[in-house]
Amino acid sequence: MDKLWPIGARMDEDEELWLGGCAASELAERFGTPLYVFDEATLRQRSQAYQAALKRRYPASAQTAYAAKAYLCLALAQLFAEEGLDIDVVSAGELHVALRGGFPAARVHFHGNNRSAGELAQALEAGVGRIAVDNFHELELLAALTASRGSDRLPIWLRLAPGVQAHTHAHIQTGQVDTKFGFTIAGGDAERALLRAMSAPGIEVVGVHAHIGSQIYQAETLATAASRLIEFAAQMRSRHGFILAELSPGGGWGVPMVEGDPAAPIESFVATLAQAVVAACRAAGLELPHLALEPGRSLVAQAAVALYRVGARKEIPGVRTYVSVDGGMADNIRPALYEAKYTARRVVNRKSQIAERKSDHERVTIAGRFCESGDILIRDIVLPRLEPGDLLAIPMAGAYTLAMASNYNLAPRPAVVLVRDGQPRLMQRRETLEDLLARDLPRGRRFHKYQALGNDYIVLDPADWPLPPSPAAIRRICDRRYGVGADGILWGPCEPAEAATPAVPQGARPFGLRLFNPDGSEFEKSGNGLRIFARYLWDRRRPPGRQFAISTAGGLVVAHVLDEDGSRISMEMGRLSFDSRAIPVAGPPREVIEERITVASRELRITAATIGNPHCVVFVDDETFEVSQDLEGLAKNLGPLLERQPLFPNRTNVQFVRPLDRHTLRMAIWERGAGYTLASGTSACAAAGTAIRTGRCASPVTVQMPGGALHVEVAGDWSVRLTGAVEPVCRGEVSEGLAGECPMPAGGRSPGSCNRSPRS
Ligand code: LLP
């Protein structure tokens, strides 16, 4: 292929494009599109071309520095460092990547036109090799920063504006008189700057620098600018004794962009420039300075091809045909910003269903996918007919494309691969949707508190709490003296714990929920907590219907909103089980029904059950209890001992229950992880179920607790439905002091996900 494509690129008879031995369609398939493919051989060959040309054409010391602004990533920095180039950076960001990539600081040149004292200090700290000073402000900052360096003076360059106009787009001309860059030679600023710098004790001006623009085709223009710098240096030598040790005539050498552009060989450019430098020095009687070139574009442009997937076509008869691709101005702003011209090739989609592909050529305009009329990559190009699914390959895509890429329309930036000998290597992965949120913080730490029969829970929504609160934060928030105060935290709706099939008709996806005790421990299920969460969803997140599923670590439950205002909610809690293995209870597999156990030298008869969490029920109706036995006292005194009986490896909730009639129970509760509590939904389920199992009651059962009554219906298969009131208590924002230890999202972690570790 021609000068516009990476070395060795070829198109085969199947219309497959090969880059570095890799098939473009396979790269696109594997890494997705838009994809930027850099060819390693081209990068190395271009670097070596500069180095070799300098050696051949310039009879004194010389070096090439890569202008990182054209595009930099870690692997590219490593590659150029390995090629022995120096590097030119213009920001702390480029400096950081260059250093990480293995450039010794001494091989870094630092440019810029408005660096703060902090940035300059940072560069000094890092020990960058050369700082090119652009203006008096920077010069004063540097003079102050280096005042106490003693004999170890800081070598700098002065950036000069030589007054040479480059023939290139106005946006990328920098050498003319009317420019923001550098000290103007003509007005005398350059001389004043030199004198000021020579008088600063910590600075040594070792060279001068200019950069007159980019995408310049006339080597003579660049040569003229270099000669101007030398003439200036010669004048300064005779007037002030200035010695020009180093000359940096910048970068700017152009590259062909479309077929009609002439080739721009590096060798002849370097030859013209070197010749001019030698001639100017000779004429002025100066010794040849060290020559430092700074190419950006001409090192990387040709190495990369951008691959896009073709999508929509819009034909406006007699006007224009638009073919849209899946990238555009966010990954390549150059056509929109500089009217830059690109060309392209079609890579036909061989999986295409179209039996007869038309091969006729047509004139089309390649549009990007971004919401701007100006988002046009190529206006009027003749190509074989493009169909959705084809690839479009745009060459000369290595320079100032990715480097200027944005997240406009919140587009993730493309993946970048390096190809060599048939091997692709990912240099930059495609941005993910989570990357787009990586720097974002929610607007506040809101909470919503509800109560249900004396149980109060705080709902923390992942929209405000991207990660579940830490145990310490939970303890503080639930603390009734210090925090908001609650029986627990409900964190959701999050991703459902496992791919559970919702038990609702035409089942919508369940809402995920994680539940936390006030002591920070996590638990599986809570009847009142779940009803509160259902009310929260009803109030804020509007489930599609009055029935919806909630997924917890204790299984799937289905909520029914009975009243339009959400004030009464019933919950299908799943099935009760009396199987000791499911609860769990230690010892041989069995049902634990009225089993005798001695606690604090008192004999009790316990019945154990689970409805996702463990329960231990003691009926206070046999000869071992006084008729008027105080249930609350029993719960408070014996509850904590029963909770931690070795019989219950996961600990247990404890209920003391007195049957009042066939359909009514009275109950006091000791809750695992929470202590004495006024009401509990799963406890009511367990009490009703065990009362039925032991023949004391029949469904439905009303369970009276100090906090209020719950209505429990138990079916023949032991599935339980729980009904009662729920109401909002208050809402607000917790102070950072309460939430302070709650982790904010870190990169890569998906907010709202249920990456839970199994409960101990
Ligand atoms: N040195 C200095 C001080 C520069 O300012 C530049 C580019 C270079 C070297 C490298 O120039 P190159 O060899 O790449 O032409 N975004 C524009 C180009 C801006 C160039 C800025 N300075 C574009 O896409 O055409």
Coordinates of all heavy atoms in Angstrom, one line a residue, residues 299-342:
L299 N 6.4 11.1 13.7 CA 6.8 9.9 14.3 C 5.7 8.9 14.4 O 5.9 7.7 14.3 CB 7.4 10.1 15.7 CG 8.9 10.5 15.8 CD1 9.3 10.8 17.2 CD2 9.8 9.5 15.1
V300 N 4.5 9.4 14.7 CA 3.4 8.4 15.0 C 2.2 8.4 14.1 O 1.5 7.4 14.1 CB 2.8 8.7 16.5 CG1 3.9 8.4 17.5 CG2 2.3 10.1 16.6
A301 N 2.0 9.5 13.3 CA 0.8 9.5 12.5 C 0.6 8.3 11.6 O -0.4 7.6 11.6 CB 0.8 10.8 11.6
Q302 N 1.7 8.0 10.9 CA 1.5 6.9 9.9 C 1.4 5.5 10.5 O 0.9 4.5 9.9 CB 2.8 6.9 9.0 CG 2.7 6.0 7.8 CD 4.0 5.7 7.2 OE1 5.0 6.5 7.3 NE2 4.2 4.6 6.5
A303 N 1.8 5.4 11.8 CA 1.8 4.1 12.4 C 0.4 3.6 12.7 O 0.2 2.4 12.9 CB 2.6 4.2 13.7
A304 N -0.6 4.5 12.8 CA -1.9 4.0 13.3 C -3.0 4.1 12.2 O -3.0 5.0 11.4 CB -2.3 4.7 14.5
V305 N -3.9 3.1 12.3 CA -5.1 3.0 11.5 C -6.3 3.0 12.5 O -6.2 2.2 13.4 CB -5.1 1.8 10.6 CG1 -6.4 1.6 9.9 CG2 -3.9 1.9 9.6
A306 N -7.3 3.8 12.2 CA -8.5 3.8 13.0 C -9.5 2.9 12.3 O -9.7 3.0 11.1 CB -9.0 5.2 13.2
L307 N -10.0 1.9 13.1 CA -11.1 1.0 12.5 C -12.4 1.4 13.1 O -12.6 1.4 14.4 CB -10.7 -0.4 12.9 CG -9.4 -1.0 12.3 CD1 -9.3 -2.4 12.8 CD2 -9.4 -1.0 10.8
Y308 N -13.4 1.6 12.2 CA -14.7 2.0 12.7 C -15.7 0.9 12.1 O -15.4 0.4 11.0 CB -15.2 3.3 12.2 CG -14.3 4.5 12.7 CD1 -13.3 5.0 11.9 CD2 -14.5 5.0 13.9 CE1 -12.5 6.1 12.3 CE2 -13.8 6.1 14.4 CZ -12.8 6.6 13.6 OH -12.0 7.7 14.0
R309 N -16.8 0.7 12.7 CA -17.8 -0.1 12.2 C -18.9 0.8 11.5 O -19.3 1.8 12.1 CB -18.5 -1.0 13.3 CG -19.4 -2.0 12.9 CD -18.7 -3.2 12.3 NE -18.0 -4.0 13.2 CZ -17.3 -5.1 12.9 NH1 -17.2 -5.5 11.6 NH2 -16.6 -5.8 13.8
V310 N -19.3 0.4 10.3 CA -20.3 1.2 9.6 C -21.7 0.8 10.1 O -22.0 -0.3 10.4 CB -20.2 0.8 8.1 CG1 -21.3 1.4 7.3 CG2 -18.8 1.3 7.5
G311 N -22.5 1.8 10.2 CA -23.9 1.6 10.7 C -24.8 2.2 9.7 O -24.9 1.8 8.5
A312 N -25.5 3.3 10.1 CA -26.6 3.9 9.4 C -26.1 4.5 8.0 O -25.0 5.0 7.9 CB -27.3 4.9 10.2
R313 N -27.0 4.5 7.1 CA -26.8 5.2 5.8 C -28.0 6.2 5.6 O -29.1 5.8 5.9 CB -26.9 4.2 4.6 CG -25.7 3.4 4.4 CD -26.0 2.5 3.2 NE -26.1 3.2 2.0 CZ -25.2 3.5 1.1 NH1 -24.0 2.9 1.3 NH2 -25.4 4.2 0.0
K314 N -27.7 7.3 5.2 CA -28.8 8.3 4.8 C -28.5 8.8 3.5 O -27.5 9.5 3.3 CB -28.9 9.4 5.9 CG -29.9 10.4 5.5 CD -30.1 11.5 6.5 CE -31.1 12.5 6.0 NZ -31.3 13.6 7.0
E315 N -29.5 8.5 2.5 CA -29.3 9.0 1.2 C -30.2 10.2 0.9 O -31.4 10.0 1.1 CB -29.5 7.9 0.2 CG -28.4 6.8 0.3 CD -28.7 5.6 -0.5 OE1 -29.4 5.7 -1.6 OE2 -28.2 4.5 -0.1
I316 N -29.7 11.3 0.6 CA -30.5 12.5 0.3 C -30.4 12.7 -1.2 O -29.3 13.2 -1.7 CB -30.1 13.7 1.0 CG1 -29.9 13.4 2.5 CG2 -31.2 14.9 0.8 CD1 -29.3 14.5 3.3
P317 N -31.3 12.2 -2.0 CA -31.2 12.1 -3.4 C -30.8 13.5 -4.0 O -31.3 14.5 -3.6 CB -32.6 11.7 -4.0 CG -33.2 11.0 -2.8 CD -32.7 11.7 -1.6
G318 N -29.7 13.5 -4.8 CA -29.3 14.7 -5.5 C -28.5 15.6 -4.5 O -28.0 16.7 -5.0
V319 N -28.3 15.2 -3.3 CA -27.6 16.1 -2.3 C -26.4 15.4 -1.8 O -25.2 15.8 -2.1 CB -28.5 16.6 -1.2 CG1 -27.7 17.4 -0.2 CG2 -29.8 17.3 -1.7
R320 N -26.6 14.3 -1.0 CA -25.4 13.7 -0.4 C -25.9 12.4 0.2 O -27.0 12.2 0.6 CB -25.0 14.7 0.7 CG -23.7 14.3 1.5 CD -23.4 15.3 2.5 NE -23.0 16.6 2.0 CZ -21.8 16.9 1.5 NH1 -20.9 15.9 1.4 NH2 -21.5 18.1 1.0
T321 N -24.9 11.5 0.3 CA -25.2 10.2 1.1 C -24.3 10.2 2.3 O -23.0 10.3 2.2 CB -24.9 9.0 0.2 OG1 -25.8 9.0 -0.9 CG2 -25.0 7.7 1.0
Y322 N -24.9 10.1 3.5 CA -24.2 10.0 4.7 C -24.0 8.6 5.1 O -25.0 7.8 5.1 CB -24.9 10.7 5.8 CG -24.9 12.2 5.8 CD1 -25.9 13.0 5.2 CD2 -23.8 13.0 6.3 CE1 -25.9 14.3 5.1 CE2 -23.8 14.3 6.2 CZ -24.8 15.0 5.7 OH -24.8 16.4 5.6
V323 N -22.8 8.2 5.5 CA -22.6 6.8 6.0 C -22.0 7.1 7.4 O -21.0 7.7 7.6 CB -21.6 6.0 5.2 CG1 -21.3 4.7 5.9 CG2 -22.2 5.8 3.8
S324 N -22.7 6.6 8.4 CA -22.3 6.8 9.8 C -21.4 5.7 10.4 O -21.7 4.5 10.1 CB -23.5 7.1 10.7 OG -24.1 8.3 10.4
V325 N -20.4 6.0 11.1 CA -19.6 5.0 11.8 C -19.7 5.2 13.3 O -20.3 6.2 13.8 CB -18.1 5.1 11.3 CG1 -18.0 4.8 9.9 CG2 -17.5 6.5 11.7
D326 N -19.2 4.2 14.0 CA -19.4 4.2 15.5 C -18.4 5.0 16.3 O -18.3 4.9 17.5 CB -19.4 2.7 16.0 CG -18.2 2.0 15.7 OD1 -17.3 2.5 15.0 OD2 -18.1 0.8 16.0
G327 N -17.6 5.9 15.6 CA -16.8 6.8 16.4 C -17.0 8.2 15.8 O -18.0 8.4 15.2
G328 N -16.0 9.0 15.8 CA -16.1 10.3 15.2 C -15.3 11.4 16.0 O -14.2 11.1 16.5
M329 N -15.9 12.5 16.2 CA -15.2 13.7 16.8 C -14.7 13.4 18.2 O -13.7 14.1 18.6 CB -16.0 14.9 16.7 CG -17.2 14.9 17.6 SD -18.3 16.4 17.3 CE -17.2 17.7 18.0
A330 N -15.3 12.5 18.9 CA -14.7 12.3 20.3 C -13.4 11.6 20.2 O -12.6 11.8 21.1 CB -15.7 11.5 21.1
D331 N -13.2 10.7 19.2 CA -11.8 10.1 19.1 C -11.0 10.8 18.1 O -9.7 10.6 18.1 CB -11.9 8.6 18.8 CG -12.6 8.3 17.5 OD1 -13.9 8.1 17.5 OD2 -11.9 8.2 16.5
N332 N -11.5 11.6 17.2 CA -10.7 12.3 16.2 C -11.4 13.6 15.9 O -12.3 13.7 15.1 CB -10.5 11.5 14.9 CG -9.6 12.2 14.0 OD1 -9.1 13.3 14.2 ND2 -9.2 11.5 12.9
I333 N -10.9 14.7 16.6 CA -11.6 16.0 16.4 C -10.9 16.8 15.3 O -11.4 17.9 14.9 CB -11.4 16.8 17.8 CG1 -12.2 18.1 17.7 CG2 -10.0 17.1 18.0 CD1 -13.4 18.1 18.6
R334 N -9.9 16.2 14.7 CA -9.1 17.0 13.7 C -9.9 17.5 12.5 O -9.8 18.7 12.1 CB -7.9 16.2 13.3 CG -7.0 15.9 14.5 CD -5.6 15.4 14.1 NE -4.8 16.5 13.5 CZ -4.6 16.7 12.3 NH1 -5.0 15.8 11.4 NH2 -3.9 17.7 11.9
P335 N -10.8 16.7 11.9 CA -11.5 17.2 10.8 C -12.4 18.4 11.2 O -12.5 19.4 10.5 CB -12.4 16.0 10.3 CG -11.6 14.8 10.8 CD -11.0 15.2 12.1
A336 N -13.0 18.3 12.4 CA -13.9 19.3 12.8 C -13.1 20.6 13.2 O -13.6 21.7 13.0 CB -14.8 18.8 14.0
L337 N -12.0 20.4 13.8 CA -11.2 21.5 14.4 C -10.3 22.2 13.3 O -10.2 23.4 13.3 CB -10.4 21.0 15.5 CG -9.8 22.1 16.5 CD1 -11.0 22.9 17.1 CD2 -9.1 21.4 17.6
Y338 N -9.7 21.4 12.5 CA -8.7 22.0 11.5 C -9.1 21.7 10.1 O -8.3 21.9 9.2 CB -7.4 21.3 11.7 CG -6.9 21.2 13.1 CD1 -6.6 20.0 13.7 CD2 -6.6 22.4 13.9 CE1 -6.1 19.9 15.0 CE2 -6.1 22.3 15.2 CZ -5.9 21.0 15.7 OH -5.4 20.9 17.0
E339 N -10.3 21.2 9.8 CA -10.7 20.8 8.5 C -9.6 19.8 7.9 O -9.3 19.8 6.7 CB -10.8 22.0 7.5 CG -11.9 22.9 7.9 CD -11.8 24.3 7.3 OE1 -10.8 24.6 6.6 OE2 -12.8 25.0 7.4
A340 N -9.1 19.0 8.8 CA -8.1 18.0 8.4 C -8.7 17.0 7.5 O -9.9 16.6 7.6 CB -7.5 17.3 9.6
K341 N -8.0 16.6 6.4 CA -8.5 15.7 5.5 C -7.9 14.3 5.8 O -6.8 14.1 6.1 CB -8.0 16.0 4.1 CG -8.4 17.4 3.6 CD -9.8 17.4 3.1 CE -10.3 18.8 2.8 NZ -10.6 19.7 3.9
Y342 N -8.8 13.3 5.7 CA -8.4 11.9 5.8 C -8.9 11.1 4.6 O -9.9 11.5 4.0 CB -9.0 11.3 7.1 CG -8.3 11.7 8.4 CD1 -8.6 12.9 9.0 CD2 -7.2 11.0 8.9 CE1 -8.0 13.3 10.2 CE2 -6.6 11.4 10.0 CZ -7.0 12.6 10.7 OH -6.3 13.0 11.8

